């Protein structure tokens, strides 16, 4: 249940890009994207910051230190990195490319949020137990108030999604639905 949002809250969308959303997911991706798009429209209407994160795992420096050759991804095709058309972005949005599970690691995300006076974030995206959870843990460590739009996220495995939303997220923030977040935003 979402009880409140900070006066300055940013929407942070994780990995809603063509390559990631093409994987099989536990929940229908069309519904996840529709709810994420509703959040974008509501945050834009409210004049709150929107952060669009994509992942380029081929540039993860840590993979170069692994002995397991299967971990090396190489160059990722540009279209794999593109944000899906359902998410309407504009030039005022903050765009972050991450290379690990955590959108704060080796990126300007924290600086961009602080520059805008953001104290709270709403998280959504794919996948729940990887990019969303990795970013949530880092946001919590940095002192952000976190809300999770569980109907605007999914995972490759239902069990992983459920573990994050039922066990991890309630320990670091408030868990709710898109419409609850939009109600608090208004």
């Amino acid at each position: 249940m979402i009880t409140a949002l900070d006066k300055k809250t940013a929407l942070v969308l994780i990995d809603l890009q063509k390559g990631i959303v093409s994987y099989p997911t536990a929940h229908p991706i069309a519904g996840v994207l529709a709810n994420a798009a509703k959040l974008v429209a509501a945050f834009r209407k409210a004049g709150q910051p929107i952060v669009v994160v994509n992942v380029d795992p081929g540039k993860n420096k840590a993979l170069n230190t692994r002995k397991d050759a299967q971990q090396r991804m190489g160059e990722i095709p540009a279209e794999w990195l593109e944000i899906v058309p359902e998410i309407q972005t504009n030039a005022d949005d903050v765009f972050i490319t991450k290379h690990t599970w955590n959108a704060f690691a080796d990126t300007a995300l924290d600086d961009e949020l602080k520059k805008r006076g953001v104290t709270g974030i709403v998280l959504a995206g794919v996948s729940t137990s990887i990019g969303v959870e990795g970013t949530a843990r880092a946001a919590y460590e940095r002192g952000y108030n976190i809300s999770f739009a569980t109907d605007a996220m999914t995972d490759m495995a239902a069990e992983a999604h459920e573990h994050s939303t039922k066990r991890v997220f309630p320990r670091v923030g408030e868990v709710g639905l898109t419409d609850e977040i939009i109600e608090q935003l208004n």
Side-chain angles (χ1 to χ4, degrees), residues 81-99:
L81 302 171
E82 292 174 9
I83 301 303
V84 295
E86 293 88 341
I87 304 305
Q88 298 293 310
T89 63
N90 73 31
D92 293 336
D93 296 338
V94 176
F95 295 92
I96 299 290
T97 296
K98 65 183 177 76
H99 305 291

Side-chain angles (χ1 to χ4, degrees), residues 97-137:
T97 296
K98 65 183 177 76
H99 305 291
T100 68
W101 292 6
N102 164 8
F104 287 93
D106 298 323
T107 72
L109 179 56
D110 196 40
D111 292 337
E112 291 294 332
L113 294 174
K114 286 180 177 165
K115 188 182 340 180
R116 289 162 175 79
V118 170
T119 57
I121 64 171
V122 170
L123 278 169
V126 179
S127 93
T128 309
S129 67
I130 299 175
V132 177
E133 185 175 318
T135 301
R137 289 172 182 258

Side-chain angles (χ1 to χ4, degrees), residues 18-33:
K18 291 178 181 178
I20 298 291
V21 303
S22 68
Y23 292 139
T25 56
H27 306 91
I29 198 66
V32 170
L33 294 175

